[in-house]
Amino acid sequence: MKTKFSIIAFFAVSFVVFFTGCTKDKCSTTYTYQVYEPVYMDYAELRGSVASEAPRSLENPGKIYLFGSYLFVNEMNEGVHVIDNSNPAAPVNKAFIRIPGNVDIAVKGNVLYADSYVDLVAINISNPESASETRRLENLFPQRIWDLGYYYGDPEKGVIVNWELTDKTETVDVACGQEASQYYYWGSWGAEGDFAGGPVLAGNSGAPSIKTNATLGGQGGSMARFTIASHYLYCIDNTDMNLVDIADASNPVIWTKQSIGFNIETIFPYGNNLFIGSRNGMYIYDNSNPASPTLISTYQHITSCDPVVVEGNYAYVTLRSGTPCQGFTNVLEVVDISNLSSPVLVKQYPMFNPHGLGIDNGTLFICDGDAGLKVFNATDPNTIDQNLLKHYGTVQAYDVIPVNSSNDILIMIGTDGLYQYDYNDLNDIHLISSIPVI
């Protein structure tokens, strides 16, 4: 079942049916209105649903993760596409792993870690076409409110997987002589969207209107909420960083939880540090002891969605407007982090609606939403806007992974598909393959 969530909205009374029972001071009126009600999946079904299936087409792709010759592409809230990418010019869709409620992924060895609504699951992918769950850590993500709906539904019934428009009829007391149409029913749909969970889903028509440190193994994009260092898996939620011990890859064990702040969105490892993006700023952690990251400093910015990538002495941050970020700024910020204890803004560059980004040896890739993929020479942080190398304006770009190998390959995901570009020659950046959304 495809899950769709919409922005918080209100619903007016649809129509009055009849009046009854007037007394001296009040009357009763019965009216009908429409409201979105949650559709639940019970926990027994949720926790028995992981399975390998035949490969399927991309429909609503989310985050991407590269491990060895395999590329894993999240299908929002449904599972993971397994793609053999040993030849980036001819990727082969090998299998689909069904994981209800999946948004984030990471891989160590033969084990894929994935969220499944409130749970974390470990899945043996030694044979991706016959994957099997090895362990599940239940309720590790109780704050996944945007699609679970803890504040909009009843968690005792299970997890929310959809919303259905339903007619409701109620009888209320009103002052005699007042029009029933003055009364409104206020409801709230589960907030849709972005929360670093994947490309923004299409709104319901009934509503008002990277590259990681090579020593870490796998590579995730800038929108990732999972990353791995040493034998620890780091999973961030809205407020916390959960550390999971994966020394025994198939048998993950909860290690600890650290409170970070509010509106936490992304995590990016670089060297011995972790850079965590939130809607209010960037948190820099010393991760020289992977079992116990320690906060070094915080860089504050205006409220806005905020992924971050790092190379050398600079952090690159995109800020964008849109649900649920509530901001109105669309910019690229370049931050000097040569002194990790005191990050300093170098320059801002206006953008259209930037999402994920990547950096490789001074080449900066920015997914500018509907404005497409933009490639810049960023060796001089003060002149980035003057050094546009390539612009693919007809794609909807969400996130990227630049792969620094014998052949420099950029992997990009967007709402319309998966794209791979050869950027080995910066004077001849070109598309080498794509898998479209169908």
Side-chain angles (χ1 to χ4, degrees):
M1 180 182 298
K2 189 170 292 296
T3 307
K4 292 195 176 180
F5 305 98
S6 303
I7 58 174
I8 295 174
F10 71 90
F11 306 91
V13 173
S14 297
F15 55 87
V16 175
V17 179
F18 52 79
F19 286 91
T20 60
C22 286
T23 66
K24 181 178 180 181
D25 298 319
K26 63 181 180 180
C27 294
S28 294
T29 181
T30 300
Y31 62 92
T32 297
Y33 57 88
Q34 289 187 314
V35 63
Y36 277 85
E37 293 280 8
V39 178
Y40 294 93
M41 173 187 290
D42 65 41
Y43 293 111
E45 181 180 356
L46 170 68
R47 290 163 179 161
S49 296
V50 171
S52 285
E53 299 178 348
R56 64 162 78 171
S57 300
L58 274 64
E59 295 182 15
N60 188 17
K63 300 180 185 182
I64 47 179
Y65 194 90
L66 181 68
F67 188 84
S69 61
Y70 280 97
L71 178 60
F72 301 89
V73 180
N74 160 249
E75 183 74 27
M76 285 292 292
N77 288 306
E78 294 191 17
V80 176
H81 301 274
V82 182
I83 297 171
D84 183 345
N85 204 47
S86 52
N87 179 5
V92 179
N93 196 343
K94 300 290 288 186
F96 183 79
I97 305 174
R98 185 174 74 244
I99 312 170
N102 173 245
V103 174
D104 278 279
I105 48 182
V107 178
K108 180 185 179 184
N110 292 324
V111 179
L112 180 146
Y113 305 97
D115 59 340
S116 179
Y117 289 113
V118 293
D119 298 343
L120 174 73
V121 292
I123 301 170
N124 187 313
I125 55 170
S126 54
N127 178 1
E129 297 174 64
S130 183
S132 60
E133 181 179 327
T134 63
R135 182 167 171 78
R136 178 179 291 261
L137 300 179
E138 297 182 0
N139 299 311
L140 186 63
F141 310 115
Q143 293 191 22
R144 192 168 155 192
I145 61 173
W146 297 117
D147 48 359
L148 173 64
Y150 262 38
Y151 296 142
Y152 307 101
D154 182 356
E156 297 299 320
K157 296 180 180 179
V159 294
I160 295 175
V161 298
N162 211 339
W163 298 82
E164 287 186 348
L165 189 62
T166 304
D167 290 335
K168 280 201 169 186
T169 300
E170 289 188 12
T171 300
V172 297
D173 292 334
V174 298
C176 289
Q178 282 193 333
E179 295 292 333
S181 60
Q182 294 174 2
Y183 292 83
Y184 296 87
Y185 178 84
W186 287 79
S188 58
W189 301 345
E192 174 183 4
D194 209 42
F195 74 95
V200 176
L201 308 179
N204 191 296
S205 59
S209 313
I210 300 231
K211 175 179 166 186
T212 65
N213 188 313
T215 62
L216 301 178
Q219 303 179 44
S222 65
M223 306 297 275
R225 283 179 170 250
F226 286 10
T227 196
I228 293 173
S230 183
H231 60 85
Y232 293 95
L233 170 69
Y234 304 83
C235 310
I236 60 168
D237 58 30
N238 191 48
T239 59
D240 301 312
M241 176 164 53
N242 299 277
L243 275 68
V244 179
D245 187 337
I246 55 174
D248 180 352
S250 296
N251 187 34
V253 177
I254 296 174
W255 177 252
T256 189
K257 174 182 288 191
Q258 293 189 20
S259 177
I260 300 176
F262 295 98
N263 299 319
I264 306 304
E265 294 192 317
T266 62
I267 184 168
F268 184 85
Y270 186 79
N272 288 325
N273 299 110
L274 298 173
F275 295 82
I276 296 174
S278 78
R279 294 183 205 166
N280 302 309
M282 173 180 65
Y283 298 85
I284 304 175
Y285 277 78
D286 180 350
N287 201 38
S288 54
N289 177 7
S292 183
T294 56
L295 180 66
I296 298 174
S297 64
T298 302
Y299 166 76
Q300 298 289 337
H301 58 60
I302 63 172
T303 300
S304 186
C305 289
D306 166 25
V308 54
V309 296
V310 176
E311 185 174 73
N313 290 327
Y314 297 99
Y316 303 84
V317 181
T318 56
L319 309 180
R320 71 185 181 280
S321 60
T323 300
C325 304
Q326 303 173 356
F328 298 96
T329 299
N330 292 285
V331 299
L332 165 71
E333 289 192 343
V334 183
V335 182
D336 186 336
I337 56 167
S338 54
N339 180 356
L340 291 172
S341 298
S342 183
V344 177
L345 176 65
V346 175
K347 195 163 184 178
Q348 280 189 342
Y349 295 95
M351 293 286 159
F352 177 76
N353 189 232
H355 287 62
L357 69 167
I359 182 77
D360 178 21
N361 196 29
T363 303
L364 180 65
F365 307 89
I366 297 179
C367 296
D368 205 6
D370 289 337
L373 172 67
K374 297 175 180 178
V375 185
F376 296 91
N377 180 340
T379 52
D380 181 352
N382 290 291
T383 61
I384 292 176
D385 59 339
Q386 301 173 35
N387 290 286
L388 179 66
L389 300 175
K390 195 78 173 183
H391 182 198
Y392 291 92
T394 60
V395 295
Q396 201 290 337
Y398 172 68
D399 203 8
V400 290
I401 300 175
V403 185
N404 187 350
S405 58
S406 56
N407 294 312
D408 293 333
I409 301 297
L410 181 77
I411 303 170
M412 190 202 79
I413 194 72
T415 56
D416 49 1
L418 175 73
Y419 298 83
Q420 300 194 68
Y421 302 88
D422 184 332
Y423 66 96
N424 188 54
D425 181 353
L426 294 178
N427 295 312
D428 183 30
I429 302 171
H430 57 278
L431 178 70
I432 58 173
S433 68
S434 64
I435 300 178
V437 164
I438 296 177

